[in-house]
Amino acid sequence: MMKKTVLLSFALIALTATAQLPTRVESFPISSVRLGESQFLKNQQMDIHYLLGLDADRLLAPYLKEAGLKPKAENYTNWENTGLDGHIGGHYLSALSYMAAATGNAEIEKRLDYVMSELKRCQDAAGDGYLSGVPNGRKIWKELSEGNIRANSFGLNDRWVPLYNIHKIYAGLRDAYLIAGRSEAKTMLIKLTDWMVQLVSGLTDEQIQKMLISEQGGLNETFADVYGITKDQKYLKLAHQFSDQQMLKPLLESKDNLTGKHANTQIPKVIGYKRIADLEGLQDWNQAAKFFWDVVVAQRSVSIGGNSMREHFNPTNDFSGLLASEQGPESCNTYNMLRLTKMLYQTSADKDFMDYYERALYNHILSILNPVQGGFVYFTPMRSGHYRVYSQPQTSMWCCVGTGLENPARYGEMIYAHEGSDLIVNLFIPSTLTWGDLTVIQQNRFPQEPSTTLTLNMKKAKKFALKIRIPAWTDGVKLAVNGSPVDTQTKDGYIVVDRKWQNGDAVNVELPMHLTAITTPDGKPQYSFLYGPIVLAAKTGTDRQDGMYADNSRGGHIANGPKIPATQMPAIIGSPDDILNHLKPVDGKAMNFRLTDVTLPQYEGMTLVPFYQLYECRYQIYFPLYSQDEWTAKQQEMAAAEKARMELEALTVDKIFCGEQQSESDHFYSGNGSWNGADEGIHWRRTRSAFTYQVKTDGATTLRLKGFADREPIVVSLDGKQLGTVTFDRQGMATLQLPAGTKGTLQLSLAAEQGKQTPRISEIRLCRNGQ
């Protein structure tokens, strides 16, 4: 049935393929914008050093190996030699392409040309258009082409998300052509896409959909892009075939079933739906993408604009887990949400999209690059008193390093836009725009000072409308031209000046800022403070930031140092009506505020500053609010719960969250007859056969299993030796003693009894002292 439905849909769409959604607002090529003095420029310069500090030959090694060529260096370690070999190489190509266009840096241009030449050598050696770093990829692609498809959420035919992996080189080639103007990249991209067309030519639509159970990046988007470049219908068909129908259908019906789903698996799919909608004029697909954006931004994102806990979408009615976790919003998610936001804005001209874009850009994307040492952040914990981990160029090869490399090169892409001949200013970032014979220089100290000045230089006078976004966070915008008030109008969230402009005209815009306090989307009394669009946070210390600079271990991106108990972090005593009265401005220091009436005396008067200015420290973004009576009762409740949680963590040697992609990948999951899911926002795995993990056991005396209170038995083995059979109690708990002297990294197996299935297992811990 699915095959007929998909093919029918494509047949109908093909008849109207020229009916594109109109682009109401066009952003400028990144090459038209140069950043001025600001934190954005400093980060961009830091990123150039990071890009040039990476060894291109090590990143290219997986591609040469797959092409049968001798690599010039060994793979990088970390994710680059444990199954996701080559994915950073694709991101690297995108980052070099954007940075070359954004800066014109000669060394970046030279590095880009070298990487392109080596990749072309690999593709030429392959002979059939294939280009990938997936280890021993030819074997699995052959299996897939024959219909032998073994897919789970983070694996496909015993490889770590190979579709996600190969998507990175597709995107890199696209960016090298469209952004950096490398014509050979177009030829290589088309050849690689033709290879995929041939690979799936013998598969049914149902079989391709089965492949898409595994994370695939944004393949539907890149295939749609190839159609946009060539106008060849076969690529549009491929884009439809690689659009996950299980994800799309509920969005078309405006249904939110995102809780528990791996966030960065879904966001790129939706980017693809939106790209296809734009190319084909599909209003229903466009609305599906808009519905997804609305849900994620309004109901699943925290104040910094990021989303997810341990990489998965949080339940909309309870953010307590996210605020307690060391694995808060993932940087990749926000990178992709900004890409989706840009696309939605361009076809709607709705400035609300830019309000979110600004919030996420300043408070999440800008904050994830260490401005002194360099290095990118994977998780930004919302847990009070916790800290972030920064990548290192030679050890850290995570997905968020890949997108992190790209972000600074893309800072300038949405500052300006145009609607026909009218110029739009959306972001207040110091920069210079070159548009034909018009040059616009934006200068300011925003957000430290709530104003910006635009100087317009041109060869001869020109009439057009200048539209400046009125942010949601401001009231009473004032505008003057050459120091004098002028006639303006307000339209669709923009202040508009339509006149004949002269060379040297200076436009000054005042953007009054004020404090706001917002809760988490569940509405519970836990507040984050903003001044204008800027999230404020407090530095709470620098002790025991274990692993702050990541090593090359699989879990090195997680801040696994001690967690400060919630009872030792400040809350506010008061009422919602007077919440803003607890912040007092610090004289002589812009955007610095002191917090008063807190629960712990040592934090009285703590200073809140822009979150993006904090780095290499522990911090607090959300502050619970209690009445005095509530605080007295809450202290006892929190202390008991936190004590139990902290004791368990202290005794934990290793832990696995079953069914969660990264946790299972980090423990080298393997299994047959196994499947995963999520109930009540809790992920689980169960099997009719067995599944295994590699676990650390040094000092562990007890295996502790947690899950749902299903009554089926679990057969437990360690390194092939059966330890026993356990059954969950009514609380969904089970424990088993380990043999004396157990040590080392061993293979843990959880199996079903013959003819049965295991219960839903959500968590595995190996603990000391019988816990």
Side-chain angles (χ1 to χ4, degrees), residues 84 87 91 153 160-171 174 211-223 242-244 247 262-273 332 335-336 339 399 403 661:
L84 213 54
H87 81 294
H91 279 296
S153 60
W160 187 5
V161 290
L163 293 175
Y164 169 92
N165 191 340
I166 201 170
H167 165 258
K168 306 312 164 200
I169 195 62
Y170 275 108
R174 174 201 60 200
M211 287 167 52
L212 302 184
I213 293 171
S214 178
E215 186 178 9
Q216 69 266 192
L219 283 173
N220 56 345
E221 181 208 5
T222 51
F223 297 149
F242 274 81
S243 291
D244 180 12
M247 179 64 181
H262 187 256
N264 203 46
T265 295
Q266 316 314 323
I267 304 170
K269 295 177 188 177
V270 180
I271 293 173
Y273 304 152
C332 282
Y335 160 91
N336 277 313
R339 295 192 64 236
C399 55
T403 54
Q661 174 169 328

Side-chain angles (χ1 to χ4, degrees), residues 54-124:
L54 289 168
D55 186 336
D57 286 325
R58 295 188 72 181
L59 293 175
L60 289 163
Y63 292 91
L64 271 70
K65 290 177 182 178
E66 273 299 287
L69 301 174
K70 183 178 179 180
K72 298 178 180 180
E74 281 304 309
N75 290 31
Y76 273 113
T77 56
N78 197 236
W79 291 17
E80 278 290 310
N81 72 348
T82 55
L84 213 54
D85 312 30
H87 81 294
I88 293 292
H91 279 296
Y92 192 60
L93 182 57
S94 289
L96 290 173
S97 299
Y98 270 93
M99 193 64 82
T103 67
N105 181 282
E107 287 302 309
I108 293 291
E109 295 270 10
K110 182 179 178 182
R111 183 69 60 89
L112 172 60
D113 289 336
Y114 176 73
V115 170
M116 281 297 304
S117 67
E118 288 294 282
L119 289 172
K120 186 177 186 302
R121 194 161 67 91
C122 293
Q123 191 178 54
D124 290 346

Side-chain angles (χ1 to χ4, degrees), residues 238-436:
L238 190 67
H240 275 270
Q241 288 176 309
F242 274 81
S243 291
D244 180 12
Q245 298 297 309
Q246 286 193 345
M247 179 64 181
L248 176 61
K249 183 177 179 181
L251 295 178
L252 290 170
E253 298 171 354
S254 296
K255 293 180 180 177
D256 174 7
N257 66 349
L258 299 180
T259 296
K261 292 189 183 302
H262 187 256
N264 203 46
T265 295
Q266 316 314 323
I267 304 170
K269 295 177 188 177
V270 180
I271 293 173
Y273 304 152
K274 172 59 177 165
R275 180 64 175 136
I276 293 168
D278 289 353
L279 288 167
E280 300 188 87
L282 302 182
Q283 289 291 352
D284 55 345
W285 284 41
N286 180 66
Q287 184 55 38
K290 170 65 163 56
F291 173 77
F292 175 88
W293 186 93
D294 286 340
V295 167
V296 172
V297 170
Q299 301 178 39
R300 298 184 178 278
S301 297
V302 290
S303 62
I304 64 170
N307 61 75
S308 79
M309 176 184 71
R310 297 202 301 267
E311 301 191 1
H312 295 76
F313 282 125
N314 194 70
T316 59
N317 63 351
D318 185 4
F319 275 68
S320 58
L322 194 158
L323 265 60
S325 177
E326 79 282 10
Q327 298 179 44
E330 180 186 354
S331 301
C332 282
N333 298 359
T334 304
Y335 160 91
N336 277 313
M337 283 300 295
L338 291 190
R339 295 192 64 236
L340 177 59
T341 302
K342 174 183 176 181
M343 297 168 75
L344 289 165
Y345 171 70
Q346 288 180 316
T347 55
S348 69
D350 185 343
K351 74 99 184 174
D352 288 349
F353 289 113
M354 291 308 306
D355 285 333
Y356 167 76
Y357 194 102
E358 179 183 56
R359 170 90 69 87
L361 180 66
Y362 273 94
N363 300 301
H364 197 186
I365 296 299
L366 186 61
S367 72
I368 62 174
L369 176 57
N370 186 318
V372 175
Q373 304 292 336
F376 303 101
V377 170
Y378 195 118
F379 293 123
T380 297
M382 292 293 105
R383 182 184 176 92
S384 294
H386 214 58
Y387 65 99
R388 291 163 290 180
V389 168
Y390 299 96
S391 68
Q392 297 191 82
Q394 308 306 316
T395 67
S396 312
M397 298 292 146
W398 328 311
C399 55
C400 293
V401 168
T403 54
L405 290 168
E406 295 183 40
N407 283 321
R410 303 178 71 139
Y411 286 156
E413 67 179 338
M414 292 301 288
I415 301 174
Y416 308 98
H418 66 96
E419 197 168 3
S421 61
D422 296 340
L423 176 63
I424 298 171
V425 179
N426 272 317
L427 298 173
F428 312 113
I429 298 174
S431 52
T432 299
L433 167 69
T434 302
W435 184 21

Side-chain angles (χ1 to χ4, degrees), residues 4 11 14 65 85 108 117 147 149 212 307 402 408 423 428 445 459 526 651 692 695 745:
K4 292 179 181 178
K65 290 177 182 178
D85 312 30
I108 293 291
S117 67
I149 300 167
L212 302 184
N307 61 75
L423 176 63
F428 312 113
R445 293 190 65 250
K459 292 182 179 178
Q526 43 210 12
L651 294 172
T692 65
V695 296
T745 299

Side-chain angles (χ1 to χ4, degrees), residues 478-503:
K478 295 180 180 180
L479 185 148
V481 177
N482 301 325
S484 300
V486 294
D487 291 335
T488 65
Q489 60 176 314
T490 300
K491 184 178 179 181
D492 298 329
Y494 288 84
I495 186 168
V496 182
V497 185
D498 194 347
R499 60 180 280 165
K500 191 170 186 178
W501 298 93
Q502 305 291 328
N503 183 49

